[in-house]
Amino acid sequence: MLARVYSCAVIGLDGVLVEVEVDTGPGLPGMVIVGLPDTAVQESRERVQSAIKNTGLLFPRKRVTVNLAPASVRKEGPAYDLPIALGVLAASEQIPVEAFEGSLVIGELSLDGSVRHVRGVLPMAAVAREQGISRVFVPKADAAEAALLPNLEVIPVESLAELVAHLKHTISIPPHPPTQPENIPIEVATDFSEIKGQEHVKRALEVAAAGGHNLLMIGPPGSGKTLLARALPAILPQMTIDEALDVTRIYSVADQLPEDIPLIRSRPFRAPHHTISHAGLVGGGNQPHPGEISLAHRGVLFLDELPEFGSRVLEVLRQPMEDKIVTISRAQGSLTFPANFQLVAAMNPCPCGYYGDPVKPCTCSPGTVVKYQKRISGPLLDRIDIFVSVPRIDYEKLSDRRAGESVESVRERVEKARRLQRQRFEASNGTSCNAEMRPAEIRKYCTLNSAASNLMKTAMVQMDLSARAYHRILKLARTIADLADSEEIQAIHLAEALQYRPKDLFI
């Protein structure tokens, strides 16, 4: 007898509907799985047989053939265990085929028949809804994630025995209630009020948050660069539900979604170590998976000790920083992952860390300082909008018990500036903040008056700015004007934008 069960594969960040066909016939007892399965899918033979037997059901003493269609799509992971088991039971007439018609089934089986968590439930549930499937059977641990999507009946399954009893109408598994995104808390890791001193750096971070600009902090060890970077997500505007679903889908596919949080509402903050490979940063593998820049989508990618990263690792950032996507090509095809992140980097000015420090003398030779700073290429530096010095903090500021400005007041100014930008770019396709402006939009929205134009002309000559730097300064000045609630870019806004360019650091 032939039975069909619908399941799903994940290719990149998208789900692909898979039809699990199970046929029983004469021949030596055993199970054969075809349809381009990987090792984890092949091993489901042992898991399915043991789970069926330990559940008290009978595994047919016949030849069982399992086909995963379409055969041209690579199948990987253990999510096919549960649909294969249902197909075997239906093909051997132990459960009615009609009971799961028009349903999507996903789940990994343990040897005792319990159903375990699988990755990528959100894109799988999304493709089920797109294909007109209104009911999905998912592991109980993943039910809240699937229930994020409206108009979808989510049945949480704890064990194979429970699901079989439900399909036989012996018991009834109640559907999981829809997950309410507004009930999920937003975490704030570091509050600006906890940071003493460094007011000019806080201002730079506020400007960066208001316009989505990339930022580099330079200063000696212990001056607070990492703490300041970790405070940035708290002042970024809250993600919309669509943005949160977009980020959650990436984390679900990467299997990094926290167990008790079905929807990520806090801005991502990723801080990979400098020993990371370029594939780990941008994504890769035989079957490409998202890298750190995709996990930082809609959030912050923090690169501490920037010169310690390999040159090849840093150079692969250049294209994603411009295009906001990363394309990974393999012999089987190409996959595109989103990478709309905000880069925040930190570095010491030299190997010993004290070049230019007024208290502790630098022990590095001038040649060593130049070599250390030249580890960061000019094209990468040209893609950074804000350069800010982070000096050591005086004792008087550290010991001051007065609380600084609260994160709520800073975020309010940032969100007000972002609202102005959304209104400005409402008719634009894909532009949401000043940092994403294209040349045509820069010409339209970043016009300078005569005083600002003269200042810009002088700066172009004296600072030897490239065309990309020219455009980035204009975008930065537009953000500063938005924070000041000014319709036009004045000379004072342009002057602040120019002071964020590197001066005497990079020799």
Side-chain angles (χ1 to χ4, degrees), residues 133-394:
I133 297 174
S134 60
R135 182 175 58 169
V136 295
F137 293 95
V138 301
K140 187 176 182 180
D142 302 320
E145 180 184 344
L148 287 167
L149 301 175
N151 304 321
L152 192 65
E153 184 183 10
V154 179
I155 307 298
V157 182
E158 199 164 0
S159 67
L160 178 61
E162 181 189 45
L163 179 56
V164 170
H166 173 80
L167 296 176
K168 288 182 175 181
H169 303 291
T170 306
I171 65 170
S172 178
I173 305 175
H176 193 283
T179 302
Q180 302 298 329
E182 57 270 13
N183 295 335
I184 300 173
I186 300 176
E187 298 180 358
V188 177
T190 304
D191 195 324
F192 258 35
S193 62
E194 301 171 3
I195 303 174
K196 303 297 183 182
Q198 309 294 16
E199 300 303 328
H200 69 292
V201 185
K202 293 180 186 178
R203 167 63 179 177
L205 287 170
E206 181 181 338
V207 173
H213 302 284
N214 302 320
L215 178 142
L216 173 62
M217 293 180 286
I218 310 105
S223 56
K225 300 185 294 295
T226 302
L227 184 64
L228 286 159
R230 292 189 180 278
L232 178 60
I235 65 170
L236 289 172
Q238 293 184 3
M239 287 195 293
T240 64
I241 297 302
D242 289 339
E243 289 176 337
L245 286 171
D246 202 18
V247 173
T248 302
R249 181 178 59 158
I250 299 171
Y251 276 73
S252 178
V253 170
D255 203 14
Q256 294 197 26
L257 196 63
E259 185 176 348
D260 56 341
I261 301 179
L263 179 70
I264 295 178
R265 296 198 63 201
S266 304
R267 294 276 179 181
F269 181 86
R270 305 296 298 185
H273 193 259
H274 59 77
T275 56
I276 191 173
S277 66
H278 74 282
L281 190 63
V282 302
N286 292 331
Q287 298 296 319
H289 288 80
E292 288 291 335
I293 63 173
S294 295
L295 293 170
H297 182 60
R298 303 290 182 186
V300 176
L301 177 69
F302 177 51
L303 300 184
D304 201 3
E305 305 295 344
L306 185 64
E308 302 298 335
F309 284 79
S311 59
R312 185 185 179 192
V313 174
L314 291 179
E315 295 312 304
V316 297
L317 285 174
R318 287 157 55 177
Q319 179 265 336
M321 288 171 66
E322 291 289 328
D323 299 339
K324 308 300 182 184
I325 58 172
V326 57
T327 301
I328 301 172
S329 299
R330 294 291 182 269
Q332 299 91 340
S334 298
L335 291 175
T336 299
F337 295 115
N340 189 358
F341 61 92
Q342 186 172 353
L343 177 66
V344 176
M347 62 173 286
N348 298 326
C350 66
C352 79
Y354 296 100
Y355 176 75
D357 188 82
V359 177
K360 191 169 182 178
C362 175
T363 59
C364 305
S365 65
T368 304
V369 175
V370 172
K371 185 178 179 181
Y372 184 77
Q373 295 179 0
K374 292 299 182 183
R375 291 182 185 179
I376 309 170
S377 69
L380 181 63
L381 290 173
D382 225 17
R383 287 167 168 82
I384 297 176
D385 302 329
I386 300 175
F387 296 78
V388 60
S389 176
V390 187
R392 65 168 63 239
I393 309 174
D394 297 333

